[in-house]
Amino acid sequence: DSNALAYGLRAGLPQERLFAFTIVFRDVMTQAAADRATVLCQELGIHHEVIQPDELSALLGIATSVDELYADFSEVFGSEALHFFGTFLILKTARTLASRRGCSDLAFGYNREDLLAEMLFQLVNGRRPLAYPTRPIGDERIVMPVWRIPKLVLDACHPKFSLENYRERDANTTRQR
């Protein structure tokens, strides 16, 4: 999703308005995946920052470490919730970096299945679905340019990167496609 998102944003916006980051944390995003993202961003002329776990702790003001925070989280929610924790880290990091850089829009590669899963979660928990394709969150706005596109189509745009990313994920998450 992020591969197609990067190409789309670069085609529609000047490179000086774009900034990308990748956090490295367990199976959420490996160093190899961060390296692939760096290559992609270099090809597109997009500034890209790789944030290691110790840097992430400092950036987000985590008093211990990301690993210790995840250990506490997984005690309550189990190891199957790793990617929920990863999504939290990504959103928190995006908002922190946006605040520091004076950015107001955060573009995420939420695809059709991501939004359907989120809507279902909201509904089964007695809540209204969240707004899309844009959503205010604090001082920022989340923008979802690929929300109508099925995940399979987005993966097909960059099959090599997508396959490598799926092969690196743990057994508790999305099965290889």
Side-chain angles (χ1 to χ4, degrees), residues 23 25 28 70 73 81-92:
I23 62 170
F25 180 70
V28 173
Y70 177 66
F73 177 87
L82 172 64
H83 287 277
F84 290 102
F85 184 76
T87 299
F88 160 75
L89 289 178
I90 292 166
L91 182 58
K92 181 74 173 155

Side-chain angles (χ1 to χ4, degrees), residues 111-123 147:
N111 61 58
R112 183 179 66 184
E113 288 82 359
D114 290 335
L115 287 175
L116 290 172
E118 180 183 83
M119 284 182 195
L120 181 60
F121 176 82
Q122 290 291 108
L123 291 172
W147 71 275

Side-chain angles (χ1 to χ4, degrees), residues 99-113:
S99 176
R100 288 185 179 184
R101 292 176 163 268
C103 300
S104 59
D105 288 343
L106 311 173
F108 283 87
Y110 293 157
N111 61 58
R112 183 179 66 184
E113 288 82 359

